[in-house]
């Protein structure tokens, strides 16, 4: 299995003491710059979180298009887009455009989204679920339409008054060849992972699993991945699926790192999320050699082909590029990664 690594940025911005991203413009432009630096380091992917009504990245396609135009090799993606907020057909056009600009490097993570501070945010955007329809079902319905659209299905009809009586179906334009194989579903449970496999979607396993069986987080996540791959095989898909996980990794190599993160290491956390007992992944902070050893023993890291490392983006491009350089040089080789030639 070829192991890939990437960074995952939440794109926080706030005019707070010590923040290097004081405005939304800072967060957007610095994400582009960090993607360029990551490509030079040899990192394989630049991924962004999407959150609405927050001082975080919220409109991924202009950002991903800009990254695609300023880089040549690195994968660009999301983790994840909340489909409840999306017009699936317009999103299909935007995704295809971003993919074409990047030369086919888009890796698009979608899902039902994460818990929010806003009340019924998707409804504020004008998207109201049907009577009795859950948020998850609403997101899945939109995802199916999005997949049909990027797959070239006819989603509209020709107006015969404009075509001399000719009738037929119309697909959205542009189309991006191969994009349908590069859509990922962000799954927080074993059941949703199996559902993703049934649709032929790649898997982004969440750092927050909304179930808890009493085993360590990495073991629960590894079980989810194995169940996903078994379901993939059962459905007879021809291509090999991809699976990503994310980890919070903060190597401490200088005094400034120790001031920021010297006490950041922690074990798994367990808590109630929307009334469900959930398990959260730990933070790895400390000596790079020790982190490398711990990640090499992480069961889910071994199972996944892609590991995304979250970055403290408010500390600026130079600081985060140094973190990624340390990860690439001293940590990632221990999990089976090697820099692409």
């Amino acid at each position: 299995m070829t192991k890939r690594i990437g960074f995952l940025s939440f794109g926080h911005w706030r005019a707070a003491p010590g923040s290097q991203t004081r405005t939304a413009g800072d967060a957007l432009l610095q994400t582009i710059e960090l993607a360029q630096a990551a490509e030079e380091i040899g990192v394989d992917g630049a991924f962004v979180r999407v959150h609405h009504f927050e001082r975080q990245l919220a409109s991924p396609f202009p950002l991903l298009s800009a990254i695609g135009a300023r880089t040549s090799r690195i994968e660009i993606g999301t983790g994840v887009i909340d489909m409840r907020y999306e017009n699936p057909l317009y999103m299909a056009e935007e995704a295809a455009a971003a993919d074409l600009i990047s030369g086919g490097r888009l890796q698009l993570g979608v899902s039902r989204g994460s818990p929010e501070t806003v009340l019924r945010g998707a409804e504020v955007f004008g998207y109201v679920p049907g009577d009795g329809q859950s948020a998850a079902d609403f997101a899945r319905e939109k995802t199916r339409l999005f997949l049909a659209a990027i797959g070239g299905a006819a989603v509209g009809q020709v107006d015969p008054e404009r075509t001399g009586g000719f009738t037929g179906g119309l697909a959205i334009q542009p189309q991006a060849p191969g994009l349908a194989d590069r859509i990922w579903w962000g799954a927080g449970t074993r059941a949703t992972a199996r559902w993703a496999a049934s649709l032929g979607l790649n898997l982004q396993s969440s750092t927050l699993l909304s179930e808890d069986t009493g085993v360590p987080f990495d073991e629960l996540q590894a079980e989810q991945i194995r169940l996903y791959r078994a379901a993939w095989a059962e459905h007879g898909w021809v291509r090999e699926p991809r699976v990503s996980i994310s980890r919070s990794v903060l190597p401490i190599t200088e005094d400034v790192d120790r001031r920021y993160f010297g006490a950041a290491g922690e074990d798994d956390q367990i808590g109630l999320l929307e009334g469900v007992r959930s398990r959260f992944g730990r933070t790895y902070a400390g000596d790079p050699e020790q982190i490398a050893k711990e990640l090499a023993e992480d069961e889910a890291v071994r199972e996944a082909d892609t590991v995304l490392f979250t970055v403290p983006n408010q500390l600026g491009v130079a600081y985060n590029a140094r973190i990624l350089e340390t990860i690439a040089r001293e940590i990632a080789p221990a999990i089976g990664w090697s820099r692409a030639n």
Side-chain angles (χ1 to χ4, degrees):
M1 179 194 305
T2 300
K3 191 78 77 174
R4 294 176 173 89
I5 63 170
F7 74 81
L8 175 62
S9 176
F10 285 63
H12 294 286
W13 55 274
R14 190 174 298 275
S19 173
Q20 301 298 309
T21 54
R22 304 182 68 81
T23 68
D26 291 340
L28 290 162
L29 294 172
Q30 289 179 24
T31 302
I32 298 168
E33 294 170 9
L34 183 58
Q36 291 178 284
E39 182 170 84
E40 294 175 2
I41 292 167
V43 170
D44 303 301
F47 286 71
V48 296
R49 291 292 299 268
V50 180
H51 285 106
H52 302 287
F53 298 102
E54 302 283 356
R55 293 182 180 183
Q56 299 177 40
L57 299 173
S59 50
F61 292 110
L63 176 59
L64 295 174
S65 295
I67 294 173
R70 295 274 290 271
T71 58
S72 61
R73 178 192 60 80
I74 199 167
E75 293 181 336
I76 58 176
T78 54
V80 293
I81 294 174
D82 186 334
M83 291 300 294
R84 296 174 301 163
Y85 283 83
E86 299 298 322
N87 176 320
L89 302 186
Y90 183 62
M91 178 177 165
E93 293 177 343
E94 295 245 292
D99 191 47
L100 293 170
I101 289 170
S102 70
R105 290 182 280 135
L106 184 62
Q107 303 286 342
L108 199 64
V110 302
S111 191
R112 167 252 188 267
S114 57
E116 306 173 282
T117 56
V118 64
L119 181 64
R120 295 195 295 272
E123 294 183 29
V124 177
F125 272 46
Y127 301 119
V128 181
D131 291 341
Q133 188 177 43
S134 70
D137 288 340
F138 191 37
R140 292 182 184 193
E141 177 187 349
K142 289 190 169 196
T143 299
R144 290 187 180 94
L145 179 54
F146 170 73
L147 293 174
I150 64 170
V155 293
Q157 294 296 315
V158 170
D159 181 354
E161 292 186 3
R162 301 288 299 275
T163 60
F166 174 78
T167 60
L170 292 172
I172 64 101
Q173 297 296 339
Q175 290 284 311
L179 178 58
D181 290 340
R182 288 179 272 113
I183 309 301
W184 307 59
W185 184 262
T189 66
R190 292 163 294 177
T192 51
R194 290 192 293 266
W195 177 85
S198 74
L199 265 65
L201 300 174
N202 300 305
L203 175 66
Q204 285 186 339
S205 182
S206 174
T207 50
L208 187 162
L209 297 178
S210 53
E211 55 187 352
D212 178 41
T213 64
V215 302
F217 179 83
D218 67 310
E219 294 180 20
L220 179 60
Q221 195 171 42
E223 180 188 358
Q224 180 198 48
I225 294 170
R226 288 191 291 268
L227 289 170
Y228 163 80
R229 288 207 172 103
W232 183 277
E234 289 169 5
H235 283 87
W237 300 112
V238 175
R239 70 176 179 87
E240 284 294 315
R242 288 186 61 185
V243 175
S244 75
I245 62 171
S246 58
R247 291 292 182 267
S248 178
V249 169
L250 301 167
I252 296 176
T253 60
E254 298 183 6
D255 288 341
V256 65
D257 307 326
R258 194 165 290 106
R259 289 197 298 272
Y260 282 134
F261 307 119
E266 60 185 29
D267 295 328
D268 294 351
Q269 298 180 64
I270 302 169
L272 290 178
L273 186 66
E274 296 185 335
V276 177
R277 184 176 169 87
S278 304
R279 185 171 284 267
F280 305 75
R282 58 168 293 194
T283 295
Y284 294 83
D287 178 73
E289 184 177 355
Q290 180 61 31
I291 293 175
K293 179 178 182 296
E294 292 173 349
L295 284 179
E297 296 171 351
D298 185 306
E299 192 172 334
V301 169
R302 293 199 299 266
E303 289 284 346
D305 61 78
T306 302
V307 181
L308 303 179
F309 297 98
T310 59
V311 294
N313 74 282
Q314 285 188 275
L315 294 180
V317 174
Y319 188 91
N320 281 285
R322 181 170 65 80
I323 285 179
L324 292 176
E325 175 67 47
T326 300
I327 289 172
R329 185 180 62 250
E330 302 183 42
I331 296 174
I335 64 173
W337 176 80
S338 59
R339 178 171 177 162
N341 296 324

